Amino acid sequence: MTFTVRAAFTKSRSVWLPGLSAVRTMSSGDPTPAYTTLSVSQPATSITHVELHRPEKRNAMNKAFWSEMVECFTQISGDPECRVVVVSGAGKVFTAGIDLMDMASVFQHEGGDVARNAWNMRRIIAKYQESFTVIERCPKPVVVAVHGACIGGGVDLITACDIRLCTQDAWFQVKEVDIGLAADVGTLQRLPKVIGSRSLVNELALTARKMYADEAKDSGLVSHVFPDKEAMMAGALEMAREIAGRSPVAVQGTKVNLIYSRDHSVAEGLDYMATWNMSMLQSEDIVKSAVASMEKKSPETITFSKL
């Protein structure tokens, strides 16, 4: 289902508030036919909305979820119609994390020696890691909107996204130590680079305590806190619209190089950037953007070719 949402936003105390009294929450109501755990829609031109959709299970991540995420974001990565993605959760919370009952069989072994069991477990873990790495690898910017609980695997998911927003009632928990394991699908690798405070990351991962919205904002885990889900979804859509209105060559190149620079030295990042832009600077998008700027027009008035 497609929705058109128009809202004017004002910034006050780092919280975006919708200028209209009512903004319809983006939700299709049911999983997209190709999936059992996700609902995918296009709420506006060039914007794809991916909604975690097991509300009756608090969007817990079952076996189907892991493969469906890879399939979904692989398709989005190659979709020339899509320029930006918004991810959210249906129902009362963003996600309760891994569905332990559904995943119980993963931790059971049918005989075999330790080495073979270990190799099989490694393949399983790598498969689950790919479910979130595919988000990071997607060249389209991904804005994630969190309401209510974001537990365990939810933290793995959001740290693979590019921009994180949340509601005032949101809370985050690196839950894995409470269930006897170390987080293994991205949190321990990405959260230190998202927050920046090694001490705080260690505290969250080792104690499994909850982090609430204001602390998440202060620590840098999220960039905006909204009063409720309706306002957050309107804010996420407005932000996505602004991104989608820019040159896809510039936007996707920016994401790729930001991630590369995060994991490499400054010198390596500059060298990669020079190699990247020796071709990208020849894009027609630069001329179009420059002309619009001189004419004092918004980039959103420009018609950019699909990428």
Side-chain angles (χ1 to χ4, degrees):
M1 184 178 293
T2 301
F3 302 99
T4 301
V5 182
R6 296 185 179 91
F9 289 87
T10 58
K11 291 184 179 179
S12 175
R13 302 178 193 172
S14 300
V15 179
W16 289 11
L17 300 176
L20 299 182
S21 59
V23 180
R24 189 173 185 180
T25 300
M26 297 190 303
S27 178
S28 64
D30 294 296
T32 300
Y35 306 112
T36 61
T37 67
L38 304 174
S39 175
V40 182
S41 60
Q42 287 71 45
T45 302
S46 302
I47 299 171
T48 298
H49 178 212
V50 178
E51 185 179 51
L52 311 188
H53 208 287
R54 296 185 76 211
E56 73 287 354
K57 296 292 185 179
R58 301 175 71 211
N59 296 323
M61 301 170 180
N62 62 2
K63 293 176 185 176
F65 169 84
W66 304 99
S67 58
E68 289 182 2
M69 282 291 287
V70 173
E71 181 181 347
C72 178
F73 273 89
T74 298
Q75 182 175 354
I76 287 172
S77 294
D79 181 5
E81 301 290 343
C82 175
R83 294 185 183 178
V84 61
V85 184
V86 175
V87 175
S88 69
K92 296 181 179 180
V93 303
F94 180 70
T95 178
I98 294 175
D99 188 330
L100 293 176
M101 295 300 294
D102 185 79
M103 300 290 292
S105 61
V106 172
F107 303 101
Q108 299 175 358
H109 304 292
E110 298 295 332
D113 62 31
V114 173
R116 285 166 177 78
N117 288 340
W119 273 104
N120 184 54
M121 181 61 72
R122 191 181 196 282
R123 283 192 291 267
I124 293 171
I125 295 170
K127 174 184 176 182
Y128 295 155
Q129 290 174 342
E130 176 65 12
S131 300
F132 299 144
T133 297
V134 72
I135 299 174
E136 186 175 78
R137 194 168 56 241
C138 176
K140 320 301 172 66
V142 180
V143 180
V144 64
V146 179
H147 74 289
C150 178
I151 303 171
V155 179
D156 293 294
L157 190 161
I158 68 169
T159 52
C161 298
D162 302 296
I163 299 171
R164 289 166 293 278
L165 313 175
C166 78
T167 56
Q168 190 63 57
D169 70 348
W171 53 274
F172 308 83
Q173 186 177 24
V174 184
K175 182 71 172 174
E176 283 80 356
V177 293
D178 276 356
I179 56 174
L181 58 94
D184 57 4
V185 290
T187 288
L188 301 186
Q189 292 69 41
R190 295 188 177 101
L191 189 59
K193 297 183 178 182
V194 168
I195 289 181
S197 168
R198 197 78 190 193
S199 178
L200 179 56
V201 170
N202 291 347
E203 177 190 342
L204 294 171
L206 295 171
T207 67
R209 76 166 175 84
K210 297 177 181 179
M211 171 188 273
Y212 293 93
D214 289 340
E215 185 181 6
K217 172 68 165 55
D218 291 341
S219 70
L221 179 60
V222 302
S223 52
H224 294 282
V225 177
F226 294 82
D228 52 44
K229 185 178 180 182
E230 183 178 55
M232 177 182 65
M233 295 309 299
L237 184 61
E238 174 66 11
M239 185 178 292
R241 186 189 63 78
E242 290 184 8
I243 295 171
R246 270 61 183 178
S247 158
V249 172
V251 167
Q252 294 182 38
T254 296
K255 172 171 178 173
V256 169
N257 279 276
L258 281 171
I259 292 174
Y260 185 91
S261 294
R262 180 197 65 186
D263 298 331
H264 295 78
S265 69
V266 172
E268 290 170 324
L270 287 169
D271 184 63
Y272 189 80
M273 188 76 252
T275 302
W276 183 275
N277 261 2
M278 70 184 190
S279 57
M280 295 301 107
L281 287 180
Q282 300 180 56
S283 169
E284 63 180 16
D285 292 11
I286 293 179
V287 176
K288 291 181 177 180
S289 298
V291 170
S293 179
M294 288 186 291
E295 294 177 351
K296 302 187 183 305
K297 294 180 179 178
S298 167
E300 296 169 20
T301 64
I302 307 170
T303 300
F304 293 108
S305 300
K306 297 176 183 178
L307 180 61

